[in-house]
Each structure stands twice: as structure tokens, then as C-alpha cells.
């Protein structure tokens, strides 16, 4: 050996001890070497000394030496070769633990030169009499495949693994399945793979039988592996689907949450093939208790469970219809859990439980956490829009909240009220004075814009509407763009409704907006209004005061096609993010470039499909409101309430898709030939490209209400939203 | 492509120990540590950090991944995952691993981990395959392959004798009863005890929310049966209950024979050796069974939809002014037979709260007031004995602690706080945690426990205990 340790210092002392004549001293020295390794000291110089201690009867000591070897195998493969002989010898040891340890360690070392010596011992260990050795060997095959696939194929290890699925020991079966699945995934991530490649692991019906037998016998981790394999199986007919469901259902009673969730996934997948209604009902009923039980776990587990429940509810809203109380928030729940619970509660809301829900939401609105308070108030609005019969009660709760005069509560309530006015026009005019009384309290653009919209909409019923709007006209240039846009539209509405008293104010605002305003959007809109008003007041009326269709809450937050795909991914990261797997995690060792490609592909597909749908059905355009939350965009129809409203025509789609597009262009397109809907704007792709899944956490899933700030109040968004209304009005003309 | 490993961070976010990460680059674990630390720094409350953190790829060579993490005492356990893995698998595995560490080390802390690097490394190796598959996690099987640090081991290593190694090598010699030869993965073979005994603990936890009228808005009781089996050979136990109808949503240890349970509501099992959780359940408050042995006259506010009484009642009068407030909280036990223990009531006073003045006192009732004799009156030393309050200025939480509330007694806390310039905005809820010994909400009763053993004939000592705790959010 060329490496010589210095004659002093810690390493020297260790080296002396490693060569001591006393076993205990040597063992203790090895432990100290490991400890130094852990804290990041370089102890590679002791390699030969440690290696001398590899031959020992003391299993613990052997493990520690192996540990050392594994740690330095990556950086110093040439030294590891020195240990090969001992490895090979150990794989023949009478003690099964030593055999398994040797084979496992050799598989982990990842050194080219060791690999060649691995095959013979591995061959033997796969046929070992001891199940522990066999299962260790099975996993080792997967690792070998990772390094040198041809060795696995040449040595017939794959065939051997396939035989081992019928092993008498369930643990061996489970680990074999895990190994074959690993190889399957590694092989299918290769671009040049034929469908009959031996490395692929299709689940045949004979394998299915063996898996179902092993399922009840093995450890929880083994069950998860087997259940994941079952999820890939394609049932021949409905009888087989039923059979699988019936065999998997008992797994709901396992203590381990990951087993439960994996079982839920298998059931959801194979339930598609079940025809018997009674069985479906029974399965759905059995699914509820284990899901509820998961909610008594620590918050991090709860959160994963909640995300999955949210997804399941979109497909089967009946699963937890009687369990809303389980989702009531405690004030010390972490915010991410509360938000998810809130969303599920609104999803479960119905006429029978809406009172309980509302009193809860009111409770939450008095909490300490500002974010949560805002979300609770949003939820009240969602409830009002979802359940017609409860709308009045919701309005009363909101009024109570406005009475508290807590600034952010009032502002959020005003924003929500605007949505309620949209859904139930001319129903709650009586509360407008209360809202207007809080005018001075508002300092957030969204709240201001909402109140201005309400004033404009009901200008003819508010005696002092011109006074109120005058306040905003006075400070026009200081306001943010969304407020400016909204003020502009409201004043025009006022003028159209009360032309006699508001001539002055409309003149003033059109002047200011066209001359002193630095936002092209505001200027352009002012010009349009001006021209409309001066050429044809009748047309202006038809445009600006057009009837808007009511808004509604979508039942799902993800597209149906995506929902199906995600349900197949229940109990996986995909289900937690509510996005398909390819979009956030690269498979295996796929490069970033191909990841990027894959990310974009489905997106484009969806977008195109989307655009076509838009033209055909004349509804549901690119979701503008999602722009505040990048991941939610993705070019999929997420069908948020306001979007459905706003995007009736291709032109609207066009308008909504291009965030930065000039309103005039759109106007042109309206007047021109039927506009080709622009492919959902490049913007959405940009946002998506820089996608942070983090933000998806808070964003996806919360059914929003036409107010973009449902997820994250962002100042950048409101312009878009406010933008829509007048434009929408414009469109009404044609 | 699965669970990539485990990293344990200390209180300051520095790694103490981590598993090998052999199939990924060296930077991989560092990326995850950074991602978690960054997220924690950004968050106001560490509890509000998402439990699954997205970790973008460091370079073009590897894909992105996610990091699941949990806090345990002073430590934080990280489990990086790549590929489309069930995060619940990661959490379940972390929890299992933490349980194993507890069993091996007693307490899990930075100090105990540092003292037992070798053990922890061995556990990493045995429990998680480098390909990301959890391996052996049954402690019965693990104890065969990773020797727990025992006093004996320590003594031997100090004196420098060689017995230890001979104990270990005994495995090789006695391979006949070698590891994993047991047909039951959860139970090792050849267990011997001089005194055969099996104990069951029925532990129930009540979680409830009560609104300001005293009505129970939601309440759930989750129970589990923990067992400690010290039985020789391969004992076959069968356990039944006199009132199994109170059990709902049962989740069973894999050793329980499912079909027997589904058919006869009989727990039939060959237990693992030592401690394990036999079953988890939810208490379904069936109106036919009187669930709680509470006193005769429950207040009429008890709603009809939940017939589970909260063991105490709170009256809270809070007055809020422009820059502060005063509060007067009274807690009265509704139980006439059982004392509530270790009561901790937390009130979040909201941002800016300070200048707390408080007075805790013991009100009327309790002791010999109703039917309890003087002996039951555990607290005899006068007004506020034992009870105390404290204030965590950082979290603005006022904590009121009462070691024991004897049956039917009442306690009160009154005081004031100020919030300086801003308006007071306390949380409208009091969170109360408590324990009750020798009591279960469900009144679940073990009917019969039979232990049969083909080879040996012994009469084990059997014991069953009940214990309850609760966490109630009482709104005002």
C-alpha cells in the first residue's frame, strides 16, 4: 500500500488500535473510525488497517467494517478490490446473516471490478435455503441490473426472479416483486425498449394469483410493493375486477397508513371494471372509515391523507358525505392542514349540514391567523354560491363579520360579497349601505375594486353613488391599476344609469384616464368607452350593462381526464400535488432535458384540446384566474367559476389567454371575422416552466370563486380579473 | 426511485447522521438538508412548513425530488424521495424507524444518537435497502440482527473482555434457530421466559371541539390496545370483548387473523415478543350502550348527536377593550368518580399580547362535596395548590396547568393582559389537554383471554388496564 498514515495524530492512534492484539480494542477502534467518518473526517488512510479486521466471527464488527468499505467504495474503488476475496468467502458462510450481508454489500459497492465477482455468489444465494438470504439476493439483482443489465440477462437472473414469485415465503415474494418492479421501471425509462423485453414485468393472471396469496402474509412494506404491482394489472373482465377488489378490501384494516392508501388506489382502479352496483356501494362505504382514521394521525400524515381525500371526493363525492365534522379545524392545526380541511368541508357541504359548516366558518373567521381567516371567509362565499338555499344565511354571517370592523376581515368579506352579488343579482341590495359604510377601511386593491364594482352595478339604487365614486375619481392616479379599471367601468355604468347627474364625473374620469394614466390597459379602455359613448350611447348601454351569466362552483378542480389519471396515482406524490407524475419528478435517471420535453408535451396536448373545446362549446376557456398560481395553469381546464362566466366566445378566450394583450386588439377581433382562439398564451408556459411544486401545495384544489386571491392574495392578478368584466360586457353586444 | 434514505438533523439544522445514499450523488442529501432548512427559516411557525418539500434538481443529471420530514423532540428526520412515491410510505417508514430507535436507545436525542453511531448505522442498513425498499422493521426480527446496546454490552466493552464477541458468534453456531427461520415474520423462535405474562393497555384519546354554548361540535375517540407479551414458545392467544359493538374502524396488527375477527369479533393471534400495538379503533358511540360512567345529570346543553360527555365544563368570560382584555375562566370537572390529571389549558392571546396578570384559584366543589369521600379529595392543601400559569411571550400563549382536578371540583383562572397599541385579538378557543387513569370512554371490557400453547403448558399472568387522555378545544 502506498498510503501511509502520518506517525502522529488521531488517525495514527486509530491505526495503532486497529492493529492491536486485543479484539475489543480493535472493535472499539473501528467504531471510532466510523464515528470520525460520520462527522466528515477523512479516514480513508486507514483502509488497509480496517480491512485487516474484516475476517472475524464477530458479526457486529464485520458489519462495521462493511460499512466503512461501502463509504469509501465510491471514492476509492481500487482499494475495495482487496476485499473481494473475503466477500466471496462470506457469501458461503454457514451463518445466513453473514451470507446475506456479503451479498447485500457487494451489490451496494457499485464498483465495476467487484461486479464481475458478484454473479456466482448471487446465483447461489438466490437458491439459498434461508429466506432472508433469498430476499436479499432478489433485491441485489435489481441493483446489478442498474449497473450492468447485460450481466443480469446473461446469467438468467430474470428467469430466476420470475420463479421466485412462487416462493413459499411471502417476504421473498414481496421483495422479488419489488426487485422486478425496479427493473421494469429502469427498463421502461430506456427509449429503445421493445414491448417484449425480458426486463419488463407485465403482471399476468398467474402472477396475479400468486400476488393475491402473498398479500395477506407479508410485512406492511411487502404489501405496499404487491399492491402497487396489482394496480398495474389490467383485469380481463368484470369478474376478475370484482375478485381483486374483494381480496384487497381487507387491507383497509391494516394499521399502516401507506398500506391503506395503496389499497384504496388498487380499489379505485379496479372498481372501474366492476359492474355490480351493490359491490361498488359496499366498496365505497368501506373506504370511508380507514380514510377517517388516517385523520387522527400526526399533521404531516393528515395532510397527505387530506390531499388524497380531496381527489377521491372529486370522483366519488359520496364517500364521506356524513363525515364533515371530522374535518373541522382545530386552532393549533398547522396552516397547510387547515387549508386542506377547509376545501374538503366546502366540498362536502350540502343543505343538511350547511348550518354546522357556517357556524364553524364564522368561528374560524375570528381566529388569530390572518391567512386562515381570509380563507375561511372565502369559504363562506363558496358555500353561498354552492348552496342556493343557504345563501341568505351566508350573507348574514358575512354581515356579522363586517361588524367586527377588523380591517382584513371586512376587506375579504367585501370581496366575497361581490361574488355573491354576481351569483344572486339584485337579491341582497339591502346590505349595500353597510358595505359602503366601510369604504374608508378598505386599503387593499382587490377589496376596493370589489366594492367599486358593486357600486357601479347598483348605481341606480344608491343615492349617493356619484359621491362615493367621486372619492375614487379624486385619487384616481394614485390607485393601483385594477382599482383604476374598475373605477372607470363603474363611473361609465353610473353615467349610463343616471346620465343627468353624472355627466361631469364621467367627463372627468375619461379625461384623467386617457391623459394622466400610465397604464395602456386603462387608457385603452377609457378610449373605447369614450368612443362608444360618443358614437352610440345605446350600444354602450348594451355593452356595459349587459346581463352576465351567473357563476357557479365547479365540482372538480382538475380536468376529468386528469382526474382519472390521478386516481391511478392515489397514494403517490402525484396525488398530493394533483398533477401527473411527469410534471414534477423525473423518472429514474432521465435527464432534465427529456423531463422538460415530457413536461411540455401533455401541456400542449391539453392546451390544444382546450382551445378546440373552447371554440366548439363556447365555454370554459383558458383559465385566467389561475395565473396567480402558476402550477394550476397548465393549460388544463380547471373550470373555475368566473372563467366559465367570462369566456363565452372565442374572442373572450383569446382575450383571457393573452394576459398582456391589448384590449383594442381584442376589440378588433370581435368586430372582425370569427377569431381563431389564440393558443393559450406563451405566458402560461413560462409560468409552468418555472414551476415550483411548492406553490402547488397551497394552490391546486382550493376551489376558487372568481377571486384570484383565493389561494394567494397577489397584487399582480386583480387587473386580469377586473379586466374581464367590462370586456365581457363588450362581448355581450355581439 | 423510492425512499432514498434518512437524514437526522439536530436542533440547528445540522446533520447528525445519515444513511448511505449510495445510489445518488453526494450533493443529493445536502440539497435536501438545505431545502428543509430554507423552508423552516422562511416560515413563521415551524409547524406551518409543508411536510413534503419539493426539491429542485441540482444539475441536469438527476431529476427533481421531494423531501418528507418530521420533527421529533429536538431532532428532525428527513426522508428524501424520488420518483412517484407515496409520501405516506415515507412518513410511515420514518415513524417506524423512530419507534425502532426509541426501542434501541430509550430516548432519541442528539446525544444518544452520537453515542450510538454504530447501532444507528446498522439500523439504517437493516431497515432500508439502498434501492429504496424498507426491509426488516419488526423489532423481534431486528433484535436478532442488530444487538441492542445493553448495560451488559457496555460493561463488557469497558472491561475489555471478549465475551461479547462470543455471544455474537453464537449465531453462527446455533444456526438451527437462526434468524428469519421463524415462520412468523413478527415473532422470533425459541423465546423462553420463567414468568409468562401478557399485559394489555387500552388507551383512548378523546378529541373534541366544543362551541361557546357548551355544545359538542365534533368529538372522536381513538383507541388502541397496546400489548406486552412475555410468553414462551409459540403461544396462540384469543381475546374477546364483552362489548365489541363499541369498536369501529378497527385496524389490526398483522398477527391478528382477520377472518376470525370479521366473523366472531375475536382477536386470535400469535403475538410478537415484547411490546406491540395489537389494534387501533374508533369508539362508536352507539346510543344503546351507555359510554361514559359520568354522573347522573348531564347538563342539558349536551347535544343529541353526540352522547359522549366531555369530562369537564368551562365557563369563560373574556372582556376585550381597546388595548387589552381581562378573562375569567372556570373549569369544573363533570366526573364524579375519576380525577382529571395533568390538565394543561392553552389560550393564545394573539399578536402583541403581554403584561399578563393572573390569579389561579380553586373554586368550590370537589372533595367531599358530592358523594366522594375525603380520601378522594386528592388536593387538600388549599386554594391554588399545584395549579400554576405561565406565559410564552413568543407564541403569545398563556398556559394554565393543574396537576389534578378531583371529581366535581372546580378551578378558576382570572387575570388580564394588554396588547399595547393594537386591538386585542385572542384566539377564541381554549385548548385543554388532560389524562384520566384507569378509565376508558368506551368502557371496552375484555371478556376472556385464552392462551394456548401446543408444546408447553403454562398459565400466564394476564392483565388489562385502561387509560385515557383528551384534547378538547373549548371555544368562547
Amino acid at each position: 500500500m502506498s498510503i501511509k498514515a502520518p506517525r502522529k495524530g488521531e488517525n495514527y492512534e486509530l491505526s495503532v488500535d486497529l492493529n492491536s492484539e486485543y479484539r475489543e480494542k480493535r472493535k472499539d477502534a473501528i467504531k471510532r473510525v466510523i464515528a470520525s467518518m460520520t462527522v466528515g473526517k477523512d479516514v480513508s488512510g486507514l483502509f488497509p488497517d480496517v480491512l485487516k479486521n474484516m475476517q472475524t466471527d464477530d458479526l457486529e464488527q464485520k458489519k462495521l467494517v462493511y460499512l466503512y468499505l461501502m463509504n469509501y467504495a465510491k471514492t476509492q474503488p481500487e482499494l475495495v478490490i482487496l476485499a473481494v476475496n473475503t466477500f466471496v468467502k462470506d457469501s458461503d458462510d454457514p451463518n445466513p446473516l453473514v451470507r446475506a450481508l456479503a451479498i447485500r454489500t457487494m451489490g451496494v459497492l457499485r464498483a465495476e471490478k467487484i461486479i464481475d465477482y458478484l454473479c456466482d455468489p448471487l446465483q447461489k444465494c438466490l437458491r439459498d435455503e434461508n429466506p432472508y438470504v433469498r430476499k436479499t439476493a432478489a433485491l441485489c439483482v435489481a441493483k446489478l441490473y442498474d449497473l450492468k443489465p447485460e450481466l443480469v440477462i446473461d446469467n438468467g437472473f430474470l428467469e430466476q426472479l420470475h420463479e421466485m414469485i412462487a416462493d413459499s415465503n411471502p417476504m421473498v415474494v414481496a421483495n422479488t416483486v419489488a426487485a422486478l418492479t425496479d427493473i421494469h421501471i429502469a427498463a421502461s425509462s430506456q427509449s429503445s425498449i421493445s414491448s417484449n423485453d425480458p426486463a419488463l414485468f407485465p403482471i399476468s393472471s398467474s402472477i396475479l394469483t400468486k400476488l393475491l396469496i402473498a398479500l395477506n402474509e407479508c410485512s406492511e412494506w411487502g404489501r405496499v410493493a404487491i399492491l402497487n404491482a396489482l394496480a398495474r394489472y389490467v383485469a380481463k373482465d368484470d369478474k376478475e375486477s370484482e375478485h381483486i377488489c374483494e381480496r384487497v378490501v381487507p387491507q383497509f384494516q391494516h394499521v399502516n397508513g401507506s398500506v391503506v392508501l395503496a389499497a384504496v388506489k388498487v380499489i379505485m382502479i379496479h372498481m372501474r371494471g366492476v359492474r355490480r352496483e351493490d359491490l361498488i356501494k359496499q366498496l365505497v362505504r368501506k373506504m370511508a372509515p380507514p380514510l377517517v382514521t388516517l385523520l387522527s394521525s400526526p399533521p404531516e400524515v393528515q395532510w397527505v391523507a387530506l390531499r388524497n381525500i380531496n381527489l377521491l371526493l372529486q370522483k366519488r363525492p359520496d364517500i364521506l358525505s356524513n363525515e364533515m365534522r371530522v374535518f373541522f379545524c382545530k386552532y393549533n392545526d398547522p396552516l397547510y392542514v387547515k387549508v386542506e380541511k377547509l376545501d374538503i368541508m366546502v366540498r362536502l357541504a350540502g343543505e343538511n349540514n350547511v348550518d354546522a359548516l357556517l357556524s364553524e366558518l364564522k368561528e374560524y373567521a375570528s381566529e388569530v391567523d390572518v391567512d386562515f381567516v381570509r380563507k375561511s371567509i372565502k369559504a363562506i362565499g363558496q358555500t353561498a354560491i354552492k348552496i342556493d338555499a343557504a345563501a341568505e344565511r351566508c350573507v348574514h354571517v358575512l354581515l356579522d363579520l363586517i361588524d367586527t370592523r377588523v380591517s382584513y376581515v371586512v376587506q375579504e368579506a367585501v370581496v366575497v360579497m361581490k361574488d355573491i352579488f354576481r351569483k344572486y343579482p339584485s337579491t341582497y341590495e339591502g346590505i349595500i349601505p353597510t358595505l359602503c359604510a366601510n369604504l374608508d377601511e378598505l386599503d387593499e386593491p382587490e377589496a376596493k375594486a370589489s366594492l367599486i364594482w358593486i357600486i357601479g352595478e347598483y348605481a341606480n339604487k344608491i343615492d349617493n353613488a356619484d359621491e362615493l365614486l367621486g372619492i375614487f375619481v379624486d385619487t384616481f392616479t394614485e390607485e393601483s391599476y385594477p382599482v383604476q379599471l374598475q373605477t372607470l367601468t363603474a363611473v361609465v355604468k353610473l353615467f349610463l344609469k343616471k346620465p343627468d347627474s353624472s355627466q361631469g364625473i364621467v367627463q372627468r374620469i375619461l379625461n384623467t384616464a386617457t391623459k394622466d394614466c400610465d397604464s395602456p390597459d386603462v387608457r385603452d379602455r377609457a378610449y373605447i368607452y369614450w368612443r362608444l359613448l360618443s358614437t352610440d350611447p345605446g350600444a354602450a348601454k348594451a355593452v356595459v350593462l349587459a346581463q352576465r351569466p351567473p357563476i357557479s362552483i365547479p365540482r372538480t378542480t382538475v380536468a376529468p381526464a386528469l382526474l382519472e389519471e390521478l386516481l391511478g396515482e392515489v397514494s403517490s406524490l402525484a396525488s398530493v400535488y394533483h398533477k401527473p407524475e411527469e410534471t414534477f419528478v423525473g423518472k429514474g435517471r432521465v435527464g432534465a432535458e427529456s423531463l422538460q420535453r415530457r413536461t411540455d408535451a401533455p401541456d400542449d396536448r391539453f392546451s390544444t384540446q382546450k382551445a378546440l373545446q373552447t371554440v366548439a362549446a363556447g365555454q370554459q376557456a383558458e383559465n385566467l384566474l389561475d395565473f396567480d398560481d402558476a402550477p394550476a395553469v397548465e393549460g388544463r381546464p380547471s373550470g373555475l367559476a368566473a372563467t366559465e362566466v367570462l369566456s363565452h366566445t372565442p374572442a373572450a378566450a383569446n382575450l383571457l389567454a393573452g394576459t398582456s394583450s391589448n384590449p383594442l386588439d381584442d376589440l378588433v377581433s370581435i368586430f372582425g371575422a370569427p377569431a381563431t382562439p389564440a393558443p393559450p398564451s406563451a405566458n402560461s408556459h413560462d409560468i409552468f416552466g418555472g414551476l415550483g411544486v411548492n406553490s402547488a401545495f397551497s394552490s391546486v384544489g382550493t376551489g376558487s370563486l372568481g377571486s384570484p386571491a383565493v389561494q394567494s392574495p397577489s397584487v399582480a392578478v386583480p387587473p386580469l380579473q377586473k379586466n374581464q368584466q367590462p370586456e365581457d360586457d363588450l362581448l355581450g353586444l355581439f | 426511485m423510492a425512499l432514498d434514505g434518512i437524514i437526522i438533523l439536530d436542533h440547528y439544522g445540522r446533520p447528525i447522521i445519515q444513511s448511505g445514499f449510495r445510489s445518488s450523488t453526494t450533493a443529493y442529501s445536502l440539497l435536501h438538508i438545505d431545502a428543509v432548512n430554507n423552508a423552516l427559516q422562511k416560515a413563521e411557525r415551524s409547524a406551518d412548513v409543508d411536510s413534503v418539500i419539493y426539491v429542485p434538481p441540482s444539475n441536469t443529471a438527476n431529476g427533481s425530488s421531494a423531501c418528507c420530514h418530521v420533527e421529533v423532540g429536538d431532532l428532525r428526520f428527513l426522508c428524501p424521495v424520488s420518483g412517484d412515491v407515496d409520501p405516506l410510505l415515507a412518513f410511515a417508514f420514518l415513524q417506524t424507524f423512530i419507534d425502532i430507535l426509541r426501542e434501541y436507545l430509550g430516548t432519541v436525542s442528539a446525544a444518544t444518537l452520537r453515542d450510538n453511531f454504530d447501532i444507528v448505522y446498522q439500523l439504517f442498513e437493516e431497515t432500508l435497502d439502498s434501492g429504496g425498499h424498507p426491509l426488516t422493521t419488526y423489532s423481534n426480527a431486528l433484535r436478532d440482527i442488530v444487538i441492542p446496546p445493553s448495560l451488559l454490552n457496555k460493561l463488557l466493552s469497558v472491561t475489555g473482555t471478549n465475551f461479547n464477541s462470543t455471544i455474537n458468534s453464537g449465531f453462527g453456531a446455533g444456526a438451527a434457530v437462526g434468524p428469519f427461520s421463524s415462520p412468523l415474520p413478527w415473532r422470533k423462535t425459541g423465546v423462553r421466559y420463567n414468568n409468562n405474562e401478557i399485559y394489555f393497555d387500552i388507551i383512548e384519546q378523546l378529541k373534541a371541539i366544543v362551541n361557546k354554548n357548551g355544545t359538542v361540535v365534533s368529538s372522536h375517540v381513538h383507541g388502541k390496545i397496546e400489548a406486552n407479551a412475555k410468553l414462551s414458545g409459540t403461544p396462540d392467544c384469543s381475546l374477546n370483548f364483552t362489548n365489541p359493538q363499541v369498536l369501529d374502524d378497527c385496524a389490526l396488527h398483522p398477527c391478528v387473523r382477520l377472518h376470525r375477527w370479521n366473523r366472531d369479533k375475536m382477536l386470535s393471534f400469535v403475538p410478537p415478543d415484547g411490546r406491540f400495538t395489537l389494534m387501533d379503533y374508533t369508539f362508536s358511540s352507539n346510543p344503546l350502550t351507555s359510554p361514559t360512567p359520568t354522573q347522573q345529570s348531564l347538563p342539558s346543553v349536551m347535544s343529541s348527536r353526540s352522547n359522549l360527555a366531555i369530562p369537564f365544563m368551562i365557563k369563560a368570560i373574556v372582556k376585550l377593550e381597546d388595548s387589552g382584555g381581562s378573562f375569567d375562566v372556570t373549569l369544573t370537572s363533570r366526573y364524579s368518580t375519576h380525577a382529571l390529571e395533568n390538565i394543561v389549558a392553552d389560550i393564545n392571546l394573539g399578536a402583541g399580547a403581554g403584561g399578563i396578570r393572573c390569579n389561579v384559584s380553586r373554586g368550590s366543589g370537589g372533595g367531599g362535596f358530592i358523594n366522594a369521600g375525603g380520601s378522594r379529595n386528592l388536593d387538600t392543601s388549599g386554594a391554588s395548590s399545584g395549579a400554576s400559569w405561565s406565559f410564552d411571550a413568543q407564541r403569545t400563549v398563556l398556559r394554565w396547568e393543574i396537576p389534578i382536578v378531583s371529581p366535581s371540583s372546580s378551578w378558576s383562572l382570572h387575570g388580564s393582559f394588554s396588547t399595547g397599541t393594537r386591538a386585542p385579538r385572542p384566539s377564541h378557543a381554549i385548548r385543554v389537554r388532560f389524562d384520566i387513569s384507569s378509565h376508558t370512554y368506551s368502557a371496552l371490557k375484555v371478556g376472556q383471554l385464552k392462551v394456548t400453547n401446543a408444546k408447553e403448558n403454562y398459565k400466564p399472568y394476564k392483565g388489562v388496564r385502561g387509560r385515557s387522555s383528551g384534547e378538547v378545544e373549548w371555544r368562547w
Side-chain angles (χ1 to χ4, degrees), chain A residues 423-583:
Chain A
K423 163 90 188 190
Y424 309 102
S426 313
T427 315
Y428 300 106
E429 287 153 12
I431 68 164
I432 291 175
T434 321
L435 296 181
C436 293
N438 288 289
L439 197 96
D440 301 339
E441 308 241 352
L442 307 185
D443 52 16
E444 292 162 18
E446 205 196 347
K448 276 188 188 176
S450 297
L451 185 60
I452 296 170
W453 181 84
I454 295 173
I455 297 173
E457 193 67 13
Y458 295 91
N460 50 337
K461 310 224 168 108
I462 307 172
D463 294 338
N464 60 344
D466 49 343
E467 253 173 70
L468 294 171
L469 289 175
I471 301 172
F472 293 101
V473 175
D474 291 343
T475 55
F476 190 77
T477 47
E478 293 148 36
E479 300 288 355
S480 59
Y481 299 143
V483 179
Q484 291 186 354
L485 286 170
Q486 208 48 251
T487 312
L488 185 58
T489 309
V491 171
V492 172
K493 281 181 188 167
L494 170 73
F495 173 69
L496 290 172
K497 287 174 177 174
K498 294 183 187 170
D500 309 333
S501 60
S502 47
Q503 183 93 44
I505 190 170
V506 79
Q507 201 63 52
R508 195 146 60 92
I509 194 155
L510 288 176
N511 259 327
T512 321
T514 47
K515 295 207 178 89
D516 302 336
C517 189
D518 45 8
S519 158
D521 281 355
V522 179
R523 274 202 313 269
D524 288 345
R525 192 185 288 186
Y527 278 125
I528 296 169
Y529 285 147
W530 205 330
R531 204 154 300 172
L532 266 172
L533 290 173
S534 55
T535 49
D536 183 358
K541 216 166 198 160
V543 169
V544 181
L545 302 181
Q547 205 67 40
R548 267 163 306 275
I551 54 176
S552 66
I553 282 208
R555 204 166 64 99
T556 58
T557 52
V558 288
L562 178 62
L563 181 60
E564 278 305 314
E565 189 181 337
L566 287 178
L567 285 173
E569 305 276 357
V570 160
S571 89
S572 68
L573 273 180
S575 68
V576 168
Y577 293 153
H578 290 191
K579 314 153 97 323
E581 179 196 350
E582 306 90 73
T583 57

Side-chain angles (χ1 to χ4, degrees), chain A residues 649-681:
Chain A
T649 65
N654 190 2
L655 180 78
L656 297 176
T659 48
S660 59
S661 62
N662 186 330
L664 274 180
D665 292 344
D666 298 303
L667 206 65
V668 170
S669 70
I670 299 168
F671 286 106
T676 11
S681 77

Side-chain angles (χ1 to χ4, degrees), chain A residues 31 38 63 97 108 132 143 182 221 253 289 300 325 331-332 335 360 408 569 571 573 584 697, chain B residues 22 48 50 52 64 70 84 86 118 121 126 129-130 133 137 145 217 249 252 425 431 473 475:
Chain A
K31 284 188 185 175
T38 310
K63 278 189 198 165
L97 286 184
V108 165
Y132 180 63
K143 288 189 200 88
D182 277 1
W221 318 116
Q253 277 174 305
E300 56 276 356
R325 280 161 196 283
Y331 84 90
N332 58 326
L335 185 62
E360 273 301 295
Y408 55 85
E569 305 276 357
S571 89
L573 273 180
F584 56 88
F697 283 30
Chain B
R22 297 205 179 81
D48 279 343
D50 286 332
V52 183
S64 46
V70 284
D84 202 8
D86 177 6
D118 48 333
Y121 270 128
E126 295 297 343
D129 168 57
S130 65
H133 305 286
T137 52
I145 45 180
V217 183
D249 305 355
L252 306 163
R425 205 165 153 67
R431 178 177 168 231
E473 182 171 315
R475 295 174 180 158

Side-chain angles (χ1 to χ4, degrees), chain B residues 262-461:
Chain B
N262 290 335
R263 201 183 59 204
D264 318 327
K265 293 290 163 205
M266 159 90 77
L267 291 171
S268 162
F269 57 96
V270 176
D273 186 43
R275 295 183 175 282
F276 63 101
T277 303
L278 182 61
M279 78 185 293
D280 286 344
Y281 61 88
T282 310
F283 164 43
S284 71
S285 38
N286 185 331
L288 294 176
T289 54
S290 169
T292 36
T294 40
Q295 63 205 70
Q296 52 284 48
S297 61
L298 286 177
S300 54
V301 288
M302 279 303 303
S303 87
S304 55
R305 55 177 166 255
S306 164
N307 55 357
L308 181 73
I310 306 297
F312 57 85
M313 217 172 70
I314 285 184
K315 269 203 190 99
I317 301 162
V318 183
K319 288 196 187 101
L320 298 179
E321 288 142 22
D322 286 347
S323 61
S326 64
F327 46 87
D328 192 343
V329 185
T330 312
L331 183 146
T332 311
S333 169
R334 273 178 180 160
Y335 278 11
S336 55
T337 49
H338 288 91
L340 308 179
E341 293 157 31
N342 308 322
I343 299 212
V344 180
D346 285 340
I347 309 170
N348 191 339
L349 294 175
I356 314 287
R357 279 160 208 255
C358 262
N359 193 3
V360 283
S361 62
R362 177 170 181 176
S364 60
F369 193 72
I370 302 182
N371 52 2
S375 59
R376 279 234 178 79
N377 190 355
L378 295 151
D379 179 59
T380 50
S381 47
S384 66
S385 82
S388 62
W389 66 273
S390 58
F391 182 68
D392 179 341
Q394 209 187 348
R395 292 166 51 228
T396 64
V397 170
L398 174 67
R399 174 166 287 191
W400 178 26
E401 284 173 283
I402 315 170
I404 199 156
V405 170
S406 48
S408 308
S409 66
S410 79
W411 295 74
S412 63
L413 167 83
H414 58 99
S416 63
F417 65 99
S418 65
T419 48
T421 49
R422 49 177 130 185
R425 205 165 153 67
S427 163
H428 284 245
I430 302 171
R431 178 177 168 231
V432 184
R433 281 168 296 166
F434 59 90
D435 298 322
I436 309 170
S437 47
S438 321
H439 169 264
T440 55
Y441 304 106
S442 63
L444 179 68
K445 276 252 172 341
V446 170
Q448 198 185 23
L449 170 66
K450 257 194 257 170
V451 180
T452 49
N453 198 325
K455 285 188 197 134
E456 293 151 82
N457 215 352
Y458 54 78
K459 274 218 174 314
Y461 180 80

Side-chain angles (χ1 to χ4, degrees), chain B residues 48-247:
Chain B
D48 279 343
V49 176
D50 286 332
S51 53
V52 183
I53 293 175
Y54 173 75
V55 181
S58 60
N59 53 37
T60 49
N62 42 17
S64 46
S65 49
C67 186
C68 306
H69 59 108
V70 284
E71 196 175 8
V72 180
D74 261 3
L75 307 174
R76 191 169 281 279
F77 285 67
L78 275 52
C79 181
V81 296
S82 56
D84 202 8
V85 186
D86 177 6
L88 210 52
L89 181 70
F91 288 122
F93 177 73
L94 279 178
Q95 193 50 53
T96 313
F97 189 77
I98 291 161
D99 289 344
I100 293 171
L101 278 184
R102 283 217 180 92
E103 197 176 309
Y104 269 85
L105 309 178
T107 52
V108 180
S109 68
T112 54
L113 288 176
R114 288 208 173 91
D115 286 349
N116 296 288
F117 271 144
D118 48 333
I119 298 281
V120 182
Y121 270 128
Q122 289 183 58
L123 290 176
F124 280 146
E125 291 299 321
E126 295 297 343
T127 52
L128 187 65
D129 168 57
S130 65
H133 305 286
L135 300 172
T136 316
T137 52
Y138 285 122
S139 68
N140 269 233
L142 264 182
R143 267 181 280 163
D144 278 351
I145 45 180
V146 179
I147 314 298
S150 64
L151 191 61
L152 180 72
N153 271 347
K154 285 231 170 79
L155 276 177
L156 289 172
S157 65
V158 169
T159 50
T161 41
N162 287 338
F163 292 121
N164 195 12
S165 46
T166 42
I167 293 171
N168 274 332
S169 56
F171 277 116
V177 275
F180 297 96
S181 57
S182 164
L184 306 168
W186 59 84
R187 186 175 177 87
K188 56 180 174 185
T189 47
V191 183
R192 282 278 165 283
Y193 286 102
N194 288 331
N195 299 317
N196 289 290
E197 42 193 22
I198 182 162
Y199 298 103
F200 296 95
D201 280 323
I202 302 175
I203 302 164
E204 295 188 345
Q205 195 189 24
L206 163 73
K207 288 195 175 173
I209 302 176
V210 182
N211 73 9
K212 58 187 94 178
N213 306 323
T215 316
V216 180
V217 183
S218 84
S219 75
H220 300 275
V221 174
H222 293 284
K224 58 182 173 180
I225 301 181
E226 289 193 345
N228 189 359
K230 293 178 176 172
L231 302 171
S232 310
T234 311
D236 201 325
C237 307
S238 50
L239 176 75
N240 67 8
F241 302 100
T242 52
N243 51 347
Q245 70 273 19
V246 301
L247 300 174

Side-chain angles (χ1 to χ4, degrees), chain B residues 463-474:
Chain B
V464 181
R465 276 188 308 190
R467 164 153 64 92
S468 293
S469 64
E471 196 182 308
V472 176
E473 182 171 315
W474 200 291

